[in-house]
Amino acid sequence: MKNKIIAGNWKMNKNRVEAEQLITELIPLVADSKNTVIICVPYTDLCKAVKLTKGTNIHVGAQNCHWKESGAYTGEIAPSMLTEIGVEYVVIGHSERRTYFGETDATVLLRTKAALAAGLKPIVCIGETLEERNSGNMENVLRRQVVEGFKDITEAELNNVIVAYEPVWAIGTGVTATDEQANDAIKFVRSVFAEKYGKKAASALYIQYGGSMNDANAKGLLAMSDIDGGLIGGASLVATKFSAIVNSHK
């Protein structure tokens, strides 16, 4: 049985002082967990987070990276700039990046390839909007995001990728898919990966649920057959809540 991968996405929250307080509080709360614990923090918190988590079971991730190693890309961060300071993971293609900053399946693929080449482990996000779900297009959207977003990803590279299924309608809204809805969607996503990479690779792939998972609903979601962890938003900003999610699955 797989352990779970629980990643906290802090988004644009916590300055360095606040980050130190949160991480210091979190460390002992998750120290005994057998699950993989990741915190994806703002760029300005990365060095502090790497330093504070050294020697612990907490891993550090960034929230985005560019597909080039250098150049005239104002406001972007190269993958090697992240690995240089000890960052291990990076979130790519989050729905907020797709919605507000023009991220596409094509740019998700470019960023994922660059992250992998640099030695980062990308957490690649996919998911449908409420309109797409209600119109019956959920499976078409998810299939497109997998087919286009992973077009040039090899099976060997897939071993270092985490996928996060995050229904857009359940992010930051307080609305969560039922355990069964989340599991069924992830099971479908896994079947699309199986078509491309085979059942063994698809079974080994970690697919998280990322739609308003919190300390109250995590146990039920993480008990489902195909949900391999969570990409946590708001609840990751409170040490007791995030640790409760981490520790909800033994």
Side-chain angles (χ1 to χ4, degrees):
M1 182 179 292
K2 292 178 180 175
N3 68 329
K4 303 295 183 180
I5 297 179
I6 311 297
N9 177 18
W10 291 12
K11 306 188 181 183
M12 196 174 69
N13 293 290
K14 304 295 182 182
N15 60 33
R16 285 186 297 171
V17 172
E18 294 167 335
E20 181 169 4
Q21 292 172 340
L22 176 51
I23 294 168
T24 301
E25 185 180 354
L26 180 64
I27 289 171
L29 297 177
V30 299
D32 296 328
S33 177
K34 298 297 188 293
N35 296 318
T36 299
V37 183
I38 308 166
I39 53 172
C40 299
V41 307
Y43 293 131
T44 53
D45 295 339
L46 286 171
C47 288
K48 174 67 73 173
V50 169
K51 181 179 179 180
L52 289 171
T53 58
K54 187 174 183 179
T56 76
N57 63 331
I58 299 176
H59 305 267
V60 176
Q63 297 174 17
N64 193 28
C65 70
H66 199 257
W67 55 83
K68 294 285 189 179
E69 278 301 319
S70 64
Y73 302 102
T74 301
E76 289 283 350
I77 295 289
S80 63
M81 293 176 177
L82 299 175
T83 56
E84 179 189 28
I85 60 173
V87 173
E88 298 177 75
Y89 294 83
V90 60
V91 178
I92 293 176
H94 191 278
S95 65
E96 290 158 5
R97 299 295 309 174
R98 294 176 187 258
T99 301
Y100 304 134
F101 301 105
E103 196 80 77
T104 65
D105 296 332
T107 58
V108 165
L109 175 60
L110 288 171
R111 294 183 199 274
T112 301
K113 290 288 286 187
L116 288 165
L120 290 165
K121 296 178 181 178
I123 302 172
V124 182
C125 303
I126 61 174
E128 81 285 0
T129 65
L130 183 61
E131 182 181 358
E132 289 165 340
R133 172 176 276 266
N134 288 343
S135 64
N137 283 322
M138 180 191 77
E139 291 189 353
N140 291 334
V141 170
L142 295 178
R143 180 180 293 279
R144 186 205 76 225
Q145 290 175 336
V146 171
V147 171
E148 297 298 324
F150 289 80
K151 184 183 295 182
D152 298 327
I153 303 299
T154 67
E155 184 176 340
E157 289 175 323
L158 191 70
N159 290 331
N160 290 311
V161 172
I162 300 165
V163 174
Y165 166 66
E166 39 161 33
V168 179
W169 47 273
I171 297 172
T173 62
V175 178
T176 309
T178 66
D179 297 351
E180 291 75 20
Q181 283 176 321
N183 197 63
D184 287 346
I186 289 175
K187 188 175 291 187
F188 171 75
V189 170
R190 199 179 300 281
S191 74
V192 179
F193 277 101
E195 292 171 9
K196 179 175 174 60
Y197 298 100
K199 289 185 178 180
K200 183 177 180 181
S203 178
L205 176 66
Y206 276 84
I207 307 180
Q208 301 171 309
Y209 174 69
S212 295
M213 185 185 288
N214 56 49
D215 51 318
N217 60 32
K219 187 172 184 179
L221 286 164
L222 293 175
M224 301 303 290
S225 62
D226 277 74
I227 299 178
D228 299 324
L231 181 60
I232 316 302
S236 69
L237 300 174
V238 181
T240 52
K241 291 185 177 183
F242 186 59
S243 63
I245 297 170
V246 171
N247 297 322
S248 66
H249 183 87
K250 301 297 185 181

